[in-house]
Amino acid sequence: MRGKNIIIGICGGIAAYKTPQLVRLLKKRGANVKIALTEGGSRFVSELALATVSGEQVYRTIFPPTDVRNTDYTSHISLGEWADALVIAPATAHTLAKLCAGLCDDMLTTCFITLRPGKPVLIFPSMDGQMYLSPSVQRNIKTLSSQGCTLFSPDNGELASGQCGFGRMPEPESILTSLDDAFLAMAQHSPLSGKSVVITAGPTREKIDGVRFISNYSSGKMGFAIARAAAKRGASVTLITGPVHLETPPGIERLDVESAAEMYATAQGFFQNCNLFISAAAVSDYRPAAPQEGKMKKEAEEFELALVKNPDILAEFGAQKCTGQLAIGFALETQSGLDNARKKLVSKNLDLIAFNFFDHKTAGFDVDTNILTLIQRNGITTELPQLTKEDAAGKLLDAIEELLPKNRQ
Ligand code: C5P
């Protein structure tokens, strides 16, 4: 659950009063939780209580106030994109009908539509027993199931009407277990599940003297996004990173290095036993031939800095890899992009290369989006549009999954 982004959709049923406890449990397990509360839901549970336990604003309508500065006018889209799962608990008969009809008149129903394909949707209908058994509710439940949502039967017990029967929302602990199961099933479904993936990320620093170095503008964001996405698909991820200001994605092993030589030495230890090597680091091609220990003095008007070539980590892995191991690289090019990327794919013996369009604002170093073209060994080339680095990482892993040898751990 750690690091997972979860939207809890809360509708207007008495069980809504239990949802702050559900949020608490999820937060305790390390999940990021945002809440979409319907108008009816707000009658049963306070927005303030939910905002307090989640530590986030509670989303209600899709129309933000226009008199407030810095409002996110597209949160109805970004929320759905952000989520790894949508849990609707309690789900009322009314909201089930709206979901079936594709209505988008509040944040909850809109998130349902903007959620990324393949993300789990867990729906916990909770209402009076007779309402639950009514033909229209049963028809809507079937429709939503056929669309890939997981519908959970309500628990049996005392209902708000005082009668006994089916209709109670399962307890928050039980909802948590169902969500765990959904993520597990998803991870096991991925061909990357159980695979050992080594990823390099970030820049390297090549020492000139005790206080100066040669480096580049790489932020490490792309490599970290790939690591996060691979771990979510159940891979065992080792991330070897140069100096960056990024949090370690949950559930991965991170090794910090500084120079290309250190990155190479660290990566070498993993070459033999990994299934996949993804080189997203911006490794310095050269390093000063004779770095000095102290601080160089500013004496000469001019001086020459002799540089020597660094090992090409990816090319080394490409040369050493055995049958079944895959090598994936990036090519950040400013001229003759695709042609150069294709040449690198062959010269470094890669299985796939991601040509990285370079533009200061939308793609490349230190921005949150990227524009990639994926080129496979067999020539198949897929141009991706401008995507967030998270989404670009997802697309890259989709392509890699297609290349993985079947049934090999
Ligand atoms: O040849 P070029 O540096 O453009 O190749 C880029 C790819 O090779 C990237 O995937 C990068 O991480 C990797 N690389 C490497 N070691 C180097 C230089 C580049 O692993 N010394």
Side-chain angles (χ1 to χ4, degrees):
M1 202 65 75
R2 184 155 294 281
K4 290 278 199 283
N5 297 336
I6 293 154
I7 300 179
I8 309 285
I10 304 172
C11 311
I14 180 61
Y17 83 90
K18 295 181 184 172
T19 52
Q21 174 63 5
L22 173 61
V23 176
R24 262 245 150 87
L25 291 173
L26 283 165
K27 297 280 293 181
K28 249 191 185 159
R29 296 275 304 278
N32 306 309
V33 183
K34 294 190 182 185
I35 291 150
L37 182 64
T38 68
E39 174 56 30
S42 71
R43 305 291 181 101
F44 290 94
V45 60
S46 111
E47 191 173 327
L48 182 61
L50 292 167
T52 307
V53 287
S54 67
E56 294 273 348
Q57 78 168 98
V58 171
Y59 295 88
R60 301 267 304 267
T61 67
I62 47 174
F63 304 112
T66 47
D67 54 339
V68 180
R69 290 182 70 195
N70 300 326
T71 298
D72 178 2
Y73 291 104
T74 52
S75 55
H76 62 295
I77 299 165
S78 53
L79 249 192
E81 287 174 345
W82 170 84
D84 292 314
L86 170 64
V87 176
I88 307 181
T92 53
H94 184 63
T95 295
L96 292 177
K98 286 206 293 183
L99 298 178
C100 279
L103 295 180
C104 293
D105 62 349
D106 59 16
M107 198 54 105
L108 168 49
T109 45
T110 310
C111 284
F112 178 71
I113 301 280
T114 57
L115 196 74
R116 287 297 151 107
K119 303 287 177 185
V121 180
L122 281 65
I123 303 178
F124 294 85
S126 164
M127 62 196 76
D128 170 73
Q130 285 310 314
M131 282 176 83
Y132 179 69
L133 294 174
S134 75
S136 49
V137 169
Q138 288 301 313
R139 182 198 60 216
N140 291 338
I141 285 175
K142 273 202 192 90
T143 305
L144 290 167
S145 295
S146 71
Q147 288 176 12
C149 304
T150 310
L151 277 288
F152 293 82
S153 302
D155 283 354
N156 196 4
E158 196 182 328
L159 302 171
S161 61
Q163 294 177 356
C164 274
F166 281 96
R168 287 172 64 89
M169 186 179 88
E171 293 304 319
E173 288 78 4
S174 154
I175 294 178
L176 200 73
T177 307
S178 304
L179 193 54
D180 264 334
D181 292 346
F183 282 133
L184 197 67
M186 222 175 111
Q188 283 171 346
H189 196 66
S190 163
L192 275 166
S193 173
K195 297 282 189 284
S196 157
V197 179
V198 177
I199 300 167
T200 64
T204 61
R205 285 180 181 173
E206 310 301 327
K207 194 171 153 188
I208 299 172
D209 67 10
V211 295
R212 302 179 182 96
F213 53 81
I214 297 175
S215 191
N216 55 63
Y217 292 113
S218 169
S219 62
K221 286 178 185 170
M222 192 66 229
F224 274 59
I226 298 169
R228 185 177 296 110
K232 279 183 181 173
R233 293 181 192 211
S236 151
V237 179
T238 304
L239 178 63
I240 305 171
T241 180
V244 294
H245 302 283
L246 296 172
E247 268 184 45
T248 310
I252 66 158
E253 180 188 19
R254 169 176 172 167
L255 301 164
D256 284 88
V257 296
E258 206 159 296
S259 63
E262 274 183 70
M263 189 174 269
Y264 178 50
T266 308
Q268 262 185 322
F270 294 93
F271 279 176
Q272 222 183 348
N273 295 321
C274 73
N275 299 106
L276 197 61
F277 184 71
I278 306 177
S279 185
V283 186
S284 298
D285 291 324
Y286 294 90
R287 67 178 185 278
Q292 306 210 356
E293 273 314 313
K295 187 181 171 195
M296 281 166 63
K297 288 279 171 241
K298 181 177 47 176
E299 281 157 0
E301 278 307 309
E302 276 182 23
F303 78 98
E304 284 182 9
L305 185 65
L307 300 176
V308 289
K309 216 169 190 176
N310 269 329
D312 190 316
I313 307 166
L314 179 59
E316 283 296 329
F317 179 77
Q320 289 176 28
K321 74 185 166 92
C322 311
T323 317
Q325 287 186 307
L326 298 182
I328 318 294
F330 277 77
L332 182 87
E333 305 288 340
T334 52
Q335 294 123 19
S336 316
L338 275 178
D339 281 349
N340 275 337
R342 284 196 183 99
K343 277 182 199 148
K344 283 176 190 171
L345 175 80
V346 176
S347 67
K348 299 193 189 203
N349 193 28
L350 310 182
D351 298 279
L352 186 149
I353 197 159
F355 161 56
N356 207 157
F357 178 78
F358 183 74
D359 168 79
H360 290 288
K361 293 201 183 82
T362 56
F365 286 147
D366 204 21
V367 287
D368 292 326
T369 55
N370 218 347
I371 303 172
L372 300 179
T373 299
L374 309 181
I375 311 167
Q376 292 181 32
R377 205 52 200 231
N378 58 11
I380 293 180
T381 301
T382 314
E383 268 185 57
L384 300 177
Q386 182 186 334
L387 294 170
T388 62
K389 284 188 172 166
E390 302 295 331
D391 285 346
K395 293 282 180 205
L396 176 67
L397 292 185
D398 289 345
I400 292 172
E401 283 182 347
E402 295 292 317
L403 301 177
L404 279 170
K406 306 287 175 248
N407 305 322
R408 184 178 184 279
Q409 289 290 308

